[in-house]
């Protein structure tokens, strides 16, 4: 019988895939490879000695560890990981908090094994006490039962509603966020006073607005409101439209978006469609009684006769099972008495953009007239963007709801061909974000408006958050500005600094950004996942946010998981399953940020519960083996 040799498979240099030599030889090779990694980390440390020395004292070991981590992660470690795992050693899969400690532990184990001792198990990922201390210094101590804090964006209403802020704190808010792009210093101070009054030493973070790359204004529509009943699938009214008539001098508009409501108020609001309408004549309101009829001809010429179903605190409530349009100046009649509808806010208009349409961005901020395409024109609030963008580069509007490619550019103009929009078109409103993922815009993250706001911000904030950070130079600008203010504002020297990573360039430069940032003792990184998802591509967002978490852990710098967390719950009162899972993943960060919404108190409570439940299961990349109670049976 003839014998045939089986060809040996190509190994591509991976010793684990060859016919294994003796165990001692395998361990000898492993020791050499791990020792080479340690030498690589040391060489990187030597090369970065100046940057490490310039870090604040509390960050020097973190800066060193970051340099070690980056040196190792510049190689593909997967073949080595498989070989280490096969010998029962640490795979380096959780080395972020202590790179050299993990390498030294493996080398000690290999040295002992060569003398014939038993091979030790998985090396510890190391102590994360430095990261915990840095997080506490920036964001405050951790609450009982969870290690991840909750940051909540304050609405404008918080300036005049201390009860609302107290409700946030009671629900689980650990850090309060103020966006300086809205309101002004007086409003910020009143917000801050309510946060301080809520107790618990809640830190206040203030966002600097940064350069605003947004769509320009659109001419407003008519001053009219629509009141319509809630209808079922057959078009039958199942809940009336309620018109709340109030004196024009009081605050108008819809129900306060962040009012702390009790259950009865919430139920009443949900069961009816409520529209608030200002009335010029307060005396006319005072003369109304329940049961009488109020007559008017609406903006479409439809005659309406609505009963008064309630009067309270100078307000009159009308009910209707038909839709009405009420415009500024419309006449209301009850008996022989008449009144006039006061000034209504104009209806916000939008461009309706379809696939294949063209959008011309201009540097003019004159309001444009809304249209339905296929040619649209709208302003761009950052002229530098129009100077920097080039034909062929991608562009996205409104968190990626509309996407396109730049066809051509000219003086103060860029023409965009729309490559993505909804099947029935997508509305593009004024003030919506514009992302240019392929374009480097030569404008600093710290604008002149931000510099002017810093005086007031320092009086309010414990933490200042810098938007649109793309380079270490952006960080240096803010740190220098704070140093210049320190002689006249002592708080400037100790204020915490958080950089927001929201662009591809910022992500690419994160190591240098961190080393610059770590010159100050109280620092952190916010993962602004909305813009970052548009910039990097949503298919890559999960990968990018993971890498930011790893880099921050290696630097021992706290990370803030932000944008669209429990967004549907905050806006509509019911979360999606996907966003609950997303919120649970936030436990790997030191803080999770919630934005505004009418159900924000419920969102805070839900996030608090989710983070408490996940606290016993996951720490960074490390699963925790808490006792599983679900399948236990007594006895």
């Amino acid at each position: 019988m003839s014998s045939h040799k089986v060809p040996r498979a190509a190994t591509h240099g991976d010793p684990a895939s060859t016919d294994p030599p003796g165990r001692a030889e395998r361990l000898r090779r492993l020791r050499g490879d791990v020792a080479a990694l340690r030498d690589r980390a040391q060489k990187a440390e030597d090369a970065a000695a100046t940057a490490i020395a310039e870090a604040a004292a509390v960050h020097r070991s973190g800066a060193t560890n970051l340099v070690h981590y980056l040196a190792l992660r510049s190689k593909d470690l997967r073949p080595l990981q498989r070989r280490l795992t096969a010998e029962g050693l640490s795979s380096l899969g959780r080395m972020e908090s202590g790179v050299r400690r993990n390498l030294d532990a493996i080398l000690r184990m290999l040295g002992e094994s060569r003398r014939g001792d038993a091979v030790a198990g998985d090396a510890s990922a190391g102590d994360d006490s430095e990261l915990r201390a840095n997080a506490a210094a920036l964001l405050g101590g951790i609450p009982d039962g969870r290690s991840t804090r909750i940051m909540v964006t304050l609405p404008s209403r918080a300036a005049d509603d201390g009860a609302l802020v107290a409700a946030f704190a009671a629900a689980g808010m650990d850090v309060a966020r103020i966006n300086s792009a809205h309101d002004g210093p007086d409003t910020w101070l009143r917000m801050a006073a309510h946060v301080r009054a809520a107790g618990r030493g809640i830190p206040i973070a203030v966002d600097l607005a940064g350069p605003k790359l947004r769509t320009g204004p659109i001419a407003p529509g008519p001053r009219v409101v629509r009141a319509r009943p809630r209808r079922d699938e057959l078009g039958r009214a199942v809940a009336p439209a309620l018109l709340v008539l109030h004196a024009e001098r009081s605050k108008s508009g819809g129900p306060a978006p962040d009012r702390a409501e009790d259950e009865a108020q919430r139920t009443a609001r949900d069961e009816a469609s409520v529209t608030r309408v200002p009335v010029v004549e307060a005396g006319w309101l005072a003369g109304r009684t329940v049961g009488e009829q109020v007559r008017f001809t609406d903006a479409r010429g439809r005659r309406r006769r609505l009963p008064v179903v309630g009067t309270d605190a100078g307000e009159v409530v009308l009910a209707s099972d038909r839709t009405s349009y009420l415009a500024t100046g419309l006449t209301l009649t009850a008996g022989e008495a008449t009144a006039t509808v006061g000034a209504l806010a104009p209806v916000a208009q939008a461009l309706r953009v379809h696939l294949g349409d063209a959008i011309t961005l201009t540097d003019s901020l004159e309001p444009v007239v809304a249209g339905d395409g296929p040619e649209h024109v709208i302003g761009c609030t950052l002229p530098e963007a129009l100077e920097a963008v080039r034909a062929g580069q991608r562009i996205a509007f409104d968190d990626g709801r509309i996407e396109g490619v730049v066809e051509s550019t000219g003086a103060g103009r860029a023409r965009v061909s729309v490559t993505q929009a909804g099947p029935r078109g997508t509305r593009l409103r004024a003030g919506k974000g514009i992302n240019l993922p392929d374009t480097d815009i030569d404008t600093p993250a710290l604008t002149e408006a931000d510099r002017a706001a810093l005086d007031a911000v320092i009086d309010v904030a414990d933490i200042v958050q810098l938007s649109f950070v793309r380079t270490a130079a952006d960080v240096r600008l803010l740190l220098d500005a704070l140093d210049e203010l320190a002689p006249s504002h002592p708080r400037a020297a100790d204020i915490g600094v958080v950089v927001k990573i929201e662009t591809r360039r910022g992500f690419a430069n994160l190591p240098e950004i961190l080393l610059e940032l770590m010159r100050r003792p109280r620092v952190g990184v916010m993962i602004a996942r909305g813009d970052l998802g548009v910039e990097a591509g949503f298919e890559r967002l999960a990968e990018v946010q993971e890498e930011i978490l790893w880099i921050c852990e290696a630097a021992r710098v706290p990370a803030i998981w932000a944008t669209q967390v429990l967004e549907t719950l905050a806006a509509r009162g019911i979360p999606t399953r996907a966003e609950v899972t997303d919120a649970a993943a936030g436990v790997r960060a030191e803080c999770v940020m919630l934005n505004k919404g009418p159900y924000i108190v419920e969102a805070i409570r839900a996030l608090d519960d989710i983070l408490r439940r996940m606290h016993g299961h996951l720490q960074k990349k490390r699963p925790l083996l808490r006792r599983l109670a679900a399948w236990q049976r007594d006895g």
Side-chain angles (χ1 to χ4, degrees):
M1 178 183 294
S2 62
S3 63
H4 301 277
K5 292 184 178 180
V6 178
R8 181 175 297 174
T11 64
H12 303 291
D14 180 3
S17 62
T18 65
D19 290 335
R23 184 166 181 271
E25 176 64 13
R26 294 200 311 270
L27 297 178
R28 184 190 67 78
R29 291 185 182 182
L30 275 175
R31 181 177 177 84
D33 290 344
V34 175
L37 286 181
R38 195 186 189 287
D39 290 344
R40 184 185 185 90
Q42 185 60 53
K43 287 178 182 177
E45 178 184 340
D46 294 342
T50 300
I52 293 170
E54 290 175 348
V58 297
H59 290 307
R60 283 187 196 129
S61 64
T64 303
N65 191 62
L66 171 62
V67 170
H68 292 165
Y69 184 73
L70 293 169
L72 265 63
R73 292 305 306 269
S74 66
K75 290 177 61 66
D76 185 350
L77 299 177
R78 288 175 294 179
L80 177 61
Q81 285 185 291
R82 288 193 289 270
R83 292 163 56 205
L84 288 168
T85 301
E87 302 298 339
L89 295 164
S90 168
S91 69
L92 297 174
R94 299 191 296 272
M95 66 175 171
E96 283 79 10
S97 65
V99 173
R100 184 151 54 196
R101 182 169 51 242
N102 270 251
L103 294 175
D104 287 346
I106 294 171
L107 289 172
R108 285 195 301 271
M109 295 174 198
L110 287 168
E112 292 169 356
S113 298
R114 281 169 38 149
R115 293 194 298 271
D117 296 335
V119 177
D122 190 25
S124 167
D127 183 14
D128 60 357
S129 58
E130 275 191 39
L131 175 56
R132 291 199 306 270
N134 290 337
L138 178 72
L139 303 165
I142 59 174
D144 294 336
R146 56 177 164 86
S147 57
T148 301
R149 299 151 187 84
I150 298 174
M151 177 185 290
V152 181
T153 303
L154 299 182
S156 299
R157 180 180 171 83
D160 301 308
D161 191 345
L164 176 67
V165 178
F168 289 3
M173 177 178 72
D174 304 298
V175 183
R177 172 178 175 260
I178 296 172
N179 188 348
S180 73
H182 304 293
D183 307 308
D186 290 343
T187 303
W188 307 337
L189 282 169
R190 297 201 306 276
M191 288 179 178
H194 289 314
V195 173
R196 310 286 189 220
R200 294 178 47 214
I202 295 173
I204 298 170
V206 178
D207 272 20
L208 296 176
K212 296 179 182 178
L213 182 50
R214 299 187 177 278
T215 54
I218 299 175
R223 293 180 176 271
V224 63
V225 294
R226 178 178 62 177
R228 60 178 176 176
R230 183 173 299 169
R231 300 184 182 277
D232 63 15
E233 292 82 356
L234 299 177
R236 297 172 299 195
V238 295
L242 298 182
L243 280 74
V244 179
L245 309 180
H246 61 89
E248 188 176 32
R249 66 175 179 271
S250 65
K251 292 183 179 179
S252 60
D258 295 285
R259 177 161 42 203
E261 298 172 306
D262 61 28
E263 190 61 32
Q265 290 172 316
R266 173 65 48 77
T267 301
R269 190 194 70 185
D270 288 348
E271 287 179 352
S273 175
V274 178
T275 303
R276 294 177 63 83
V277 178
V279 173
V280 174
E281 297 84 3
W284 183 88
L285 291 170
R288 306 283 60 83
T289 59
V290 173
E292 70 176 320
Q293 302 285 315
V294 173
R295 308 184 306 278
F296 59 89
T297 301
D298 81 353
R300 300 172 300 166
R302 307 290 174 83
R303 293 181 178 179
R304 294 288 183 257
R305 183 185 294 267
L306 307 184
V308 176
V309 297
T311 59
D312 180 45
E315 295 184 337
V316 174
V317 182
L318 312 179
S320 177
D321 60 0
R322 292 189 291 177
T323 300
S324 302
Y325 287 77
L326 288 86
T328 298
L330 184 142
T331 299
L332 305 171
T333 303
E336 299 299 320
T338 61
T340 306
V341 171
L344 296 165
V347 177
Q349 300 294 288
L351 312 180
R352 183 172 287 279
V353 179
H354 297 81
L355 179 66
D357 284 1
I359 302 172
T360 298
L361 287 172
T362 80
D363 58 7
S364 170
L365 294 182
E366 287 295 316
V368 300
V369 177
D372 200 19
E375 294 284 339
H376 308 274
V377 177
I378 195 167
C380 172
T381 59
L382 192 65
E384 294 91 335
L386 298 178
E387 296 172 7
V389 72
R390 297 290 180 265
Q393 294 180 335
R394 293 172 296 155
I395 187 168
F397 301 88
D398 194 9
D399 287 339
R401 291 178 175 87
I402 299 170
E403 294 184 1
V405 175
V406 177
E407 280 187 350
S408 61
T409 62
R413 301 174 72 83
R415 180 180 168 87
V416 178
S417 176
V418 176
T419 58
Q420 177 178 301
R424 297 182 180 179
T426 301
R427 289 181 178 274
L428 180 59
R429 300 187 182 277
K432 293 300 181 181
I434 301 173
N435 292 91
L436 297 166
D438 303 329
T439 306
D440 287 339
I441 303 173
D442 187 19
T443 187
L446 187 72
T447 67
E448 290 305 313
D450 294 331
R451 288 179 182 275
L454 265 180
D455 274 344
V457 167
I458 290 170
D459 290 336
V460 170
D462 303 294
I463 303 164
V464 60
Q465 301 190 149
L466 183 62
S467 303
F468 208 63
V469 173
R470 291 151 297 159
T471 66
D474 287 327
V475 180
R476 184 74 259 158
L477 282 175
L478 176 60
L479 301 189
D480 287 346
L482 292 172
D483 289 343
E484 290 169 11
L485 287 170
S488 57
H489 293 78
R491 297 184 79 244
D494 187 51
I495 197 167
V497 176
V498 169
V499 295
K500 297 170 67 175
I501 302 301
E502 50 195 313
T503 67
R504 293 174 65 188
R505 193 175 173 197
F507 170 69
N509 292 326
L510 181 58
E512 293 84 358
I513 288 170
L514 275 168
L515 288 171
E516 186 69 39
L517 183 66
M518 292 162 77
R519 292 169 180 259
R520 290 181 73 93
R522 300 176 57 236
V523 296
V525 169
M526 177 177 284
I527 311 173
R529 302 182 306 152
D531 286 316
L532 193 56
V534 177
E535 290 263 338
F538 288 108
E539 68 281 357
R540 199 181 168 216
L541 176 59
E543 174 189 10
V544 167
Q545 67 189 19
E546 290 297 323
E547 292 186 16
I548 295 175
L549 286 173
W550 300 341
I551 292 287
C552 288
E553 184 181 2
R556 300 165 190 170
V557 167
I560 301 168
W561 181 275
T563 317
Q564 297 176 333
V565 178
L566 294 180
E567 185 177 53
T568 307
L569 172 56
R572 302 177 187 172
I574 300 176
T576 66
R577 292 177 178 85
E579 70 183 13
V580 170
T581 303
D582 173 66
V587 75
R588 292 170 300 162
E590 283 63 53
C591 186
V592 174
M593 190 193 90
L594 291 173
N595 225 318
K596 298 174 284 188
Y599 296 88
I600 187 61
V601 172
E602 289 84 350
I604 298 169
R605 291 190 188 118
L607 182 58
D608 176 73
D609 184 58
I610 291 167
L611 294 176
R612 287 179 187 277
R613 292 176 184 276
M614 292 303 299
H615 172 68
H617 292 295
L618 192 64
Q619 181 184 14
K620 294 295 185 184
K621 291 163 63 177
R622 200 173 311 133
L624 302 177
L625 303 183
R626 192 186 75 180
R627 174 180 177 270
L628 294 177
W631 297 282
Q632 301 299 319
R633 297 291 182 269
D634 291 337

